[in-house]
Amino acid sequence: MFALAPDSPWTRRLVGALTGLTAAAVALGVTELIAGLNRNWRSPVIDVGDRVVDNVPVWLKEFAIDQFGTNDKPVLLASIGVILAVYAMVVVTLAFTRRLAIGVVGFALFGLIGAYTAISRRVGGSFDDAIPVVIGTGAGIGAIVLAHHLLTPLLTSGDATDEPVDVEGRDEDETLPVESPTDPARATRRDLLITGGGLIGVFALVGAGTGAVGRAIRSRFSATESRANVVLPDAADPLAPIPDGVSVGVDGVSPFSTPNADFYRIDTALTVPQVPTDNYELRVTGMVDNELSFSFDDLLQRKIVEHDITLTCVSNTIGGELVGNARWLGFRLDELLEEAGVQSGADQVVGRSVDGYTCGFPLEAATDGRNAMVAFGMNGEPLPLEHGFPVRLVVPGLYGYISATKWLTEIELTTFEDFESYWVPRGYADRAPIKLMSRIDSIDGLGTLNVGPDGMAAIGGVAWAQTVGISDVQVQIDDGEWMSAELGEALNKDTWRQWAFRFEPSGTDRTRTSIRCRAVDADGVIQTDERSEPLPDGASGHHQIVVFVE
Ligand SMILES: Nc1nc2c(c(=O)[nH]1)N[C@H]1C(S)=C(S)[C@@H](COP(=O)(O)O)O[C@H]1N2
Ligand SMILES: [Mo]
């Protein structure tokens, strides 16, 4: 290691790096503080993150979902933070070892990138959105200049014996006894420790403090309170509670209704959009005879319906978890479009979100009689913030990416020729009905299959064929015949159906057994064994696992 000799080049580098790190904290903290003053302002880290999300190649996005699941967002933001920290440390180290200008220009450059991403953000970016980052960058540069001004003299003065070997071989404990109390080098070292350490500590505190205050004052823009105040209306024709018969009673099978807290979440939003109901507006626009506009209260006054619908993500892999079932409360999309009067020629319904996200699906899916909904309730509660509060779309039978716009603000009638929704230019299909699929839930691959005293084992899972319905689930053990499973009661055609299969496994003592399942829909179509990736229009293939018989 090196000694903290004021004249050592390593001391300079260390001081530079720590100044860089803490000046970056000042810049980000002050930005956060200023951003907290206005609902439309936010940290440029989020804007940069949006850019990454919007431009990341799809294979990397699928990889991130696969690796980190719903944690892909914190991982992304943390990565941006690490890159920022390393960059700041490098440029400010250079500011201390070469020229101050390198640090100043380096920070200014990053500020410019932040300002640019803020101004050109997904929705509604304008010049004033750069104000937080401009002020924050200014504060960061101020910190660098101040530190450079106060610390450089301490780094250059003092004991002039700056022979590197001598310096690097020196150790504080070793040298202290031989130095006189008035040794100038020792005095400078103490000054450096006090001034440098103090300054860096103050920067760290200012960064953390302004950041924390910024977040605290931003919380007044939260939609949590607005959500708490929503009183959901009853459906005109309320559904009966879900019958017990939908459940097959096998441990480990996904509950028929997915609790909101466990419902998978997939979206491109790095921070959950906060949309209170007071200023909420839903507009119906485009190729319609009457453009319409509704407040949140207007929506609650409409004819209310509720439906149980299983939502599925196109990124769901075979055996994956990106599927959930809920009871949605809202109103019918076809009735809304009827009121608007869809003009001939329109063939695509586009759902726009406050965050700029767009879905787009065939007009037919909205008008063919299926239960396509504009929803504000989920399992008896207002939509959770992460699931689109206050209003979203839910369309049975279509993957979420083209149909289920969360934080919905506009429904636009257009054509497929004129408009591509968010994922389409990124390689996903513009028409994407959910594929017939089944999953083994009760046991994981390489798990141990428990065999009862009677020699029997029970397995189970779920199968879905939204808008068509499931008529059979079949199971194959090793190379045996396909055999039908027992099915839970079918609630409707839009929800998944539980299945259970009881059989007598052959072998004991860690015998390997393979289990495979396939679904048959109500039209008699058998789930294909042909495997395909989620891209471009959803995974297919049988869920097959190998387990050990105990
Ligand atoms: N605004 C917005 N809505 C969105 C998305 C999004 O990224 N932004 N993702 C869609 C996708 S890909 C899916 S699968 C569903 C998931 O809904 P959930 O998060 O409530 O499960 O929302 C859809 N609606
Ligand atoms: Mo999705």
Side-chain angles (χ1 to χ4, degrees), residues 1-11 159-172 174-175 189:
M1 274 310 291
F2 58 89
L4 190 68
D7 48 2
S8 154
W10 284 106
T11 306
D159 189 338
T161 59
D162 74 80
E163 222 179 280
V165 189
D166 186 33
V167 164
E168 266 162 13
R170 203 192 288 170
D171 182 280
E172 204 167 338
E174 253 169 40
T175 49
R189 175 175 8 203

Side-chain angles (χ1 to χ4, degrees), residues 36 96 108 141 169 173 176 241 266 432 442 499 544:
F96 274 77
I141 291 173
D173 294 332
L176 267 176
I266 289 288
S442 61
W499 61 268
Q544 177 169 21

